[in-house]
Amino acid sequence: MEECIRTEQKLGFDRVRQAIQDRCSTDFAASRTLNEQFCTDRDEIARRLRLTDEMRVVLMFEEGFPTSGYIDAVGFLSPLQESAYHIDVLSLGKLGTLLDTVRRILSFFGSVREGVYPELARMVKPVAYYPEVLRRVESILDRHGEIRDNASPELQEIRRALKNTEASLSKKAQAVLKAAQAAGWADSDTGINIRDGKYLVPVAAGSKRKVPGYVYDTSSTGKTVFIEPLEVMELENEILALRAQEELEIERILIAFSDFLRPYVPDIIGEAQYIGEVDFLMAKARVAMEYAAGMPVISDDGRLVLRKARHPLLEKALAKEGRSMVPLSLELNPSKHILLISGPNAGGKSVCLKTTGLLQYMFQWGMLVPTSETSELPVFDRIMISIGDDQSIDNDLSTYSSFLKEMKEMLRSADGRTLVLIDEFGSGTEPAAGGAIAEAILAELDRRGVYGVITTHYTNLKLYASGSETGVVNGAMQFDAARIEPLFKLETGMPGNSFAFEMARKTGLPESIVKDAEARAGEEYVGIERNLRRIARGRRVLDEKIKKVKHTEGALESVTAEYQKELENLQQERRSILEAAHREAEQIVKGAGREVERTIREIRESQADRERTKAARASLQGFLGAIAEKKTKDEYIERKIEKIRRRTDAGGRRAGTGATATAAARKEETLKVGEKVRVKASGLVGEVATISRREATVIIGNLHSTVPVDGLERISSGEYRQASGASAARPRLVRDPAIAERRLRFKPELDVRGERLGDALDIVMHYIDDAIMVDVPSVRIIHGKGTGALHEEIQKYLRTVPGVASVADEDVRNGGSGVTIVIFG
């Protein structure tokens, strides 16, 4: 396991795995991504690839496939198998989302033609779905995730009584206030105060004993007391009792539903696992689409062929810099199974090696790869690598000692079903000895039929690969000697040049030093390097010429085909015109003949001589024939041209209509209960507890918040975990019993005259919170003029409240600066 982790880190596959995990919506899918392993079974690899490829096609072209509603459900479903547990309201909403998603997936696969997505259809076939369970969930919960009033007759009766009692409470409080005002115990312009869900009547301090009840608070001046009337207290106690009954009835409903659900739980857990598996496949498919990846051919003859392969991580990094990546193409086969790449430093040797290794690992993990779909990849039992410097002070290993240790491990298990990747083969020690050891290891790997991509600078290894009897082939990274810069293109069949002396000159090393180095290297070495450069230049010139010839041939073939098609069209038009002309000419001639016969009859009847009759007939036929020929040629051709023009115009209009339809954007799916979201304004994350057309209740930590739907965005489970922290407690829905009272009894006017500054601000804060919650457009706050302190501090506070659009004084005719008008935006 540790070796696999090291291999993934060296190749960069750990970052590919993380990219997939970040796109998972469920913890189940994220766990699947983490636990999926490198596979050596050909059939299993093929199955994984087909599933991912089919899902990629579905996401690209099928608008009817559900891409939302993927939530974790195994966690709350598993305990329900025991009779001691029952489901809660939030989990019931999640269950409804889960079942609805399963229903939509089954409906999608039921509507597509058989054989279009065979692997996905095979995967969905054993999924059990029970419509009755979803129907029962929907009979208990409304579309906002709240318990319906008619979930049971008892609950309906309790809520009806609760509504009536709340209405009576408001009326009773108003009646007590009016009686106090009539008796002169309370000011005529005061109103009912609601604090902490309690209805309070403001009474003059001297009359407080005249109103039966409990003194809840006193104003800052001490002139006014706020009394909770005894009659109101009795009604509030009734409401509390009804609330308790409501909670007990809801719990009874949930227990009864849990008992009904229990026999289905094992199958529904299977549905939840299926949903997680689909989420996992969608995450893989989305990453594959991001990488422009496809499904390669699984090789049966030992050929490893990469065509236009791209390193996905490097390509993404280059794109950020506005640069493009040069695709890689190479081939290994049983006769030439090791590629030895040489060339200048920073020329792309290591990128070729890592691209080959990463794409092979992705392929055997079951991931689509960024390469042409005509590429062929075999199945290896293992991938062994020696990349980078693994020297260790703790283990007393130098760079070269570490390299030798890795070579020992390779030689211990490498065979014909092994892919080895070795970077800078043999470096790290004295060149002569290092080169000799490297050549001996290379020869042994060659003898065993090991597949590999190896980079090196050693000349003796290049010479070994040049032998016709070896299974090693040379490869060179192309280099522009004129501009002294790499081209990042791999060329197989010839060794590469290090261009060390050229690069030394480019970096500004003194010419005398460079010439001295060339002299010390010896004429033989310099000659080899010079010949390699000459061969490389000649090869590039030849390639350019071949490329131009192929381009010219292609253009010529295209033009020839175009002219041939045009000629065939002209010939076809000509045949059509001639045939039509002949038909019309025949009709005209027949008509003319009848006219001649009529003329002859007339002549005979007039007893003209025979010769004159013949002459008249011949003259008439010649005249009519000339007219028919000219008319046929002119008018028929004009009609044909007009017909072709109309057909062309109609085709263009159809093409334009098709393009417009293709460009239509997909509709974004609505949020579901239980999905993880981020609040755009604050960046906080949570779970959707209830949702309506415009607003949603989001569980954030241990609190719930009502947020506009357009202020939320769907996030993955990975983003949720990252934002909320791994140790965050599971969200709980906390109910405030005072919310219902605030919604029902809210008044658009608040009077804080006579209150101390601190108390007044506290009252205003609570009042504004209630106003925002019940979504009123504006409110009036009466604070009086006095010294102006209340006016100034209240307005200063209001201007800091999010959601307040404007704060202004009332019109002078209605109180002026003694009243503040608050408008919400």
Side-chain angles (χ1 to χ4, degrees), residues 436-453:
I437 293 174
E439 185 174 350
I441 294 173
L442 179 60
E444 178 61 20
L445 295 175
D446 180 17
R447 186 188 66 79
R448 296 186 185 184
V450 175
Y451 283 69
V453 178

Side-chain angles (χ1 to χ4, degrees), residues 447-557:
R447 186 188 66 79
R448 296 186 185 184
V450 175
Y451 283 69
V453 178
I454 300 173
T455 69
T456 188
H457 288 286
Y458 285 159
T459 303
N460 65 312
L461 299 183
K462 302 177 193 177
L463 294 173
Y464 177 89
S466 301
S468 59
E469 302 299 323
T470 70
V472 185
V473 61
N474 272 307
M477 300 309 300
Q478 294 184 10
F479 194 85
D480 189 334
R483 292 186 294 177
I484 316 298
E485 62 182 30
L487 299 176
F488 303 107
K489 293 181 180 178
L490 175 66
E491 185 175 19
T492 57
M494 60 176 294
N497 191 330
S498 66
F499 291 93
F501 298 127
E502 287 77 0
M503 295 184 72
R505 287 189 175 95
K506 183 180 180 181
T507 55
L509 205 64
E511 182 63 23
S512 59
I513 299 294
V514 176
K515 286 192 174 295
D516 185 33
E518 288 178 334
R520 292 174 182 274
E523 184 61 31
E524 182 180 357
Y525 175 80
V526 175
I528 292 174
E529 293 287 298
R530 188 181 299 115
N531 288 332
L532 285 174
R533 288 197 298 274
R534 188 178 298 115
I535 292 170
R537 281 196 299 271
R539 181 68 176 268
R540 279 197 297 276
V541 171
L542 182 61
D543 287 344
E544 287 296 325
K545 288 183 178 180
I546 292 173
K547 187 176 179 181
K548 287 181 181 178
V549 169
K550 287 183 177 179
H551 178 73
T552 304
E553 287 179 351
L556 182 59
E557 288 176 0

